[in-house]
Amino acid sequence: MCAALSTCLLGCGHVPLDAPPSAPTNDDAAAGIVELDIATLQSRMADDELDSRTLTRAYLDRIAAIDDAGPTLNAVIETSPDALDEAAALDSERHAGHLRGPLHGIPVLLKDNIDATPMVNSAGSLALAAHRPKADAPLVRALREAGAVVLGKTNLSEWANFRSTRSSSGWSARGGQTRNPYVLDRSPCGSSSGTGAAIAASLAAVGVGTETDGSVICPAAMNGLVGIKPTVGLVSRSGIIPISESQDTAGPMARSVADAALLLGVMASAADDADAATGAVATHRLKDYTDALDPDALHGARIGVLRDAMGRNPDLDAAMERAIAAMEAAGATVVDSKLPTAGDWDDAEYTVLLYEFKDGLNRYLRDSGAAVGSLAELIEFNKANADLEMRWFGQEILLQAQKKGSLDEADYRAAARKAKRLAGPEGIDAALEHDDLDALVAPATGPAWVTDLVNGDHFGGAGYGAAAVAGYPSVTVPIGDVHGLPVGMILMGPEWSEAELIGLAYALEQATRARTPPRFLPTLSPQAVND
């Protein structure tokens, strides 16, 4: 669930990174699903122009055409054998006059660290390649109750990018390397790499990612999507392979703010008595986040720009300035702002993640009856299968986590307090209060780097860390591209400010209309960019 720290071998259609790509065929567009939003799909189903089984079949065909072949995105690690039957059953319900909810008949993809029957939940690891949970995670139950068709699972950075200090985002031993659909030799970021690439390429209507620090925001931004990282606890975490009880959350990834808001409302409806953070937020949870979709939300708003997060790429800065100008034209007051504690939480955060990963993973593996029952057993599995698991990079972070003790240790408790305080009350909250702001904005991350399995990610900085560590909400919105590579602006606010941020993000989206569909370019060249 970590995009980058600050400091299919088994039936997944895996191909080598250097396999020759090709563009999608016109048959995909003829299927009538490319770039369609939920409202359009629902309207067509309501008018009997489309049914869920036909829609689901079209997405499965598109996965076969451009994920397993053609550009070989390698974004979908597994499709559900029940998807077509689920869709047909939902069609029967619709014809009988019963609609379960706003996602009735809509195919959704889930990151492969979320329990969803009858599929494997592996976190991309061969150690869990046969691990089939006995029940859906609560958030998956909520999706089904709202009428969603669970189409399949998406590839990810193995163990949510919490395995090695030089990993490649979007690579897992089970799933291989996911490609960025905009430029195929570029990184999709991570760790929700497959969800980002798949939804950008219209392999499903919407998708679910997870984040600890950047793993919804970064792949959403690099794949030209809207991503929402909710306040920790708004969405149930049970049934998700964990990193950190302090920072983990699932979040929606979509091609529009409206679709992301709709999906968030369904995800947040999941009841979960086993998650203390989720059980404590009933008074903060809204039933329908689409009520926040106000094209005039920027009018009268005060926005703070974190200039210290800029200055790394002049083209990215230019995209930010255009978005800022659009905000001002829409009636917002935009001022420069600073996080007084920026980056001061880094060491404490890493300590917290190491302790909590060991504790949480041991509990998940034990309670779910996985083939490896502990972090220690996982480490030994990787050693025994190093030719497959550690071909490109090691497991340094797993080894560091294994050395940690229990969550009762003083070092852990002190680090947890420090990280949360510096990122939240003394970070985001202090900046908002100092300039009487409604939200903070920054570049979500830079443009995608060239995928490098040998050396790992060439990460160029990001603006999402404070919200991740504080457990506060953030939203990224496309604001254009840098030589054909999508870039996004992140909006951050205080805890439980999802609705306000969604309103601001929607107003910015409507003012800029900056998102463009992927072009599946093999590589970045002057000719390709100008074509």
Side-chain angles (χ1 to χ4, degrees):
M1 301 178 198
C2 295
L5 295 172
S6 301
T7 55
C8 225
L9 298 170
L10 299 176
C12 60
H14 170 61
V15 296
L17 183 61
D18 57 358
S22 60
T25 67
N26 289 331
D27 291 339
D28 296 320
I33 59 171
V34 177
E35 292 289 306
L36 293 186
D37 61 9
I38 293 174
T40 300
L41 294 172
Q42 290 290 19
S43 176
R44 291 187 180 182
M45 286 191 282
D47 292 341
D48 288 329
E49 297 173 2
L50 180 68
D51 61 34
S52 180
R53 193 182 190 285
T54 301
L55 176 62
T56 300
R57 179 74 270 170
Y59 281 127
L60 291 171
D61 289 347
R62 186 164 171 81
I63 290 169
I66 70 170
D67 199 61
D68 299 335
T72 55
L73 296 178
N74 236 29
V76 178
I77 201 168
E78 180 179 0
T79 55
S80 173
D82 297 341
L84 289 171
D85 290 341
E86 290 177 8
L90 289 163
D91 287 334
S92 296
E93 291 181 16
R94 183 185 293 273
H95 294 150
H98 173 63
L99 295 180
R100 296 190 185 188
L103 291 177
H104 194 102
I106 300 297
V108 177
L109 283 167
L110 309 173
K111 186 176 180 179
D112 187 35
N113 62 348
I114 303 170
D115 289 352
T117 61
M119 293 175 288
V120 167
N121 194 21
S122 73
S125 171
L126 297 178
L128 298 184
H131 174 57
R132 298 184 184 273
K134 298 179 179 66
D136 288 336
L139 79 85
V140 177
R141 289 202 302 269
L143 291 170
R144 295 191 197 274
E145 289 168 1
V149 176
V150 177
L151 187 65
K153 305 288 286 293
T154 57
N155 196 24
L156 70 163
S157 312
E158 188 170 317
W159 295 110
N161 215 17
F162 205 68
R163 198 192 94 178
S164 174
T165 54
R166 57 181 190 87
S167 59
S168 173
S169 289
W171 184 90
S172 72
R174 181 174 178 238
Q177 177 66 53
T178 297
R179 303 174 191 254
N180 188 311
Y182 285 84
V183 181
L184 297 170
D185 66 355
R186 296 276 168 161
S187 175
C189 202
S191 62
S192 303
S193 316
T195 305
I199 303 309
S202 295
L203 303 186
V206 288
V208 177
T210 65
E211 175 164 325
T212 303
D213 192 339
S215 285
V216 166
I217 298 299
C218 187
M222 283 195 183
N223 290 280
L225 298 178
V226 174
I228 301 177
K229 199 287 292 187
T231 302
V232 169
L234 183 66
V235 176
S236 161
R237 284 100 53 84
S238 294
I240 300 176
I241 297 173
I243 291 179
S244 166
E245 66 178 36
S246 296
Q247 295 177 211
D248 286 355
T249 181
M253 300 172 71
R255 293 181 294 273
S256 69
V257 176
D259 281 358
L262 190 155
L263 181 56
L264 177 63
V266 173
M267 293 170 61
S269 70
D272 185 2
D273 294 336
D275 185 348
T278 303
V281 302
T283 58
H284 301 287
R285 185 182 293 114
L286 302 183
K287 183 176 181 180
D288 186 357
Y289 286 89
T290 64
D291 289 343
L293 300 175
D294 179 5
D296 297 320
L298 283 165
H299 186 77
R302 287 183 57 82
I303 308 295
V305 181
L306 298 177
R307 296 276 175 187
D308 289 347
M310 298 172 63
R312 298 183 179 94
N313 183 301
D315 295 318
L316 174 58
D317 289 348
M320 281 289 296
E321 295 297 351
R322 290 191 294 271
I324 291 167
M327 287 179 153
E328 291 175 325
T333 299
V334 182
V335 301
D336 290 351
S337 186
K338 285 190 175 184
L339 287 173
T341 56
D344 292 349
W345 56 76
D346 287 348
D347 290 344
E349 178 199 13
Y350 191 53
T351 297
V352 170
L353 298 189
L354 291 172
Y355 271 98
E356 293 186 349
F357 178 68
K358 179 182 180 180
D359 177 79
L361 184 63
N362 282 342
R363 282 187 285 108
Y364 176 88
L365 295 174
R366 180 193 66 228
D367 295 347
S368 67
V372 291
S374 67
L375 175 58
E377 290 183 20
L378 170 63
I379 290 169
E380 292 307 311
F381 177 94
N382 288 342
K383 290 178 181 177
N385 296 275
D387 56 331
L388 298 175
E389 277 289 352
M390 296 196 286
R391 176 185 178 190
W392 298 112
F393 50 86
Q395 55 178 343
E396 305 93 326
I397 295 175
L398 302 189
L399 294 170
Q400 292 174 38
Q402 179 59 23
K403 293 178 181 178
K404 295 300 182 183
S406 78
L407 302 190
D408 293 327
E409 291 189 356
D411 286 350
Y412 163 72
R413 292 183 175 275
R417 290 192 298 269
K418 180 180 180 181
K420 193 72 66 177
R421 170 174 53 81
L422 291 174
E426 296 180 15
I428 291 175
D429 293 335
L432 293 170
E433 182 178 358
H434 183 270
D435 292 310
D436 190 25
L437 301 173
D438 296 294
L440 298 167
V441 300
T445 189
W449 55 85
V450 175
T451 297
D452 185 348
L453 289 166
V454 175
N455 297 300
D457 290 340
H458 301 274
F459 188 69
Y464 48 69
V469 178
Y472 291 2
S474 58
V475 181
T476 184
V477 183
I479 56 169
D481 68 89
V482 173
H483 303 298
L485 299 168
V487 290
M489 172 185 278
I490 187 172
L491 298 90
M492 298 177 285
E495 59 182 347
W496 316 120
S497 62
E498 283 83 1
E500 292 77 10
L501 295 179
I502 287 168
L504 296 171
Y506 181 73
L508 176 61
E509 175 192 57
Q510 299 305 299
T512 59
R513 303 283 184 172
R515 182 182 183 275
T516 58
R519 296 173 61 193
F520 306 92
L521 299 177
T523 192
L524 201 58
S525 66
Q527 180 179 356
V529 172
N530 293 328
D531 284 349

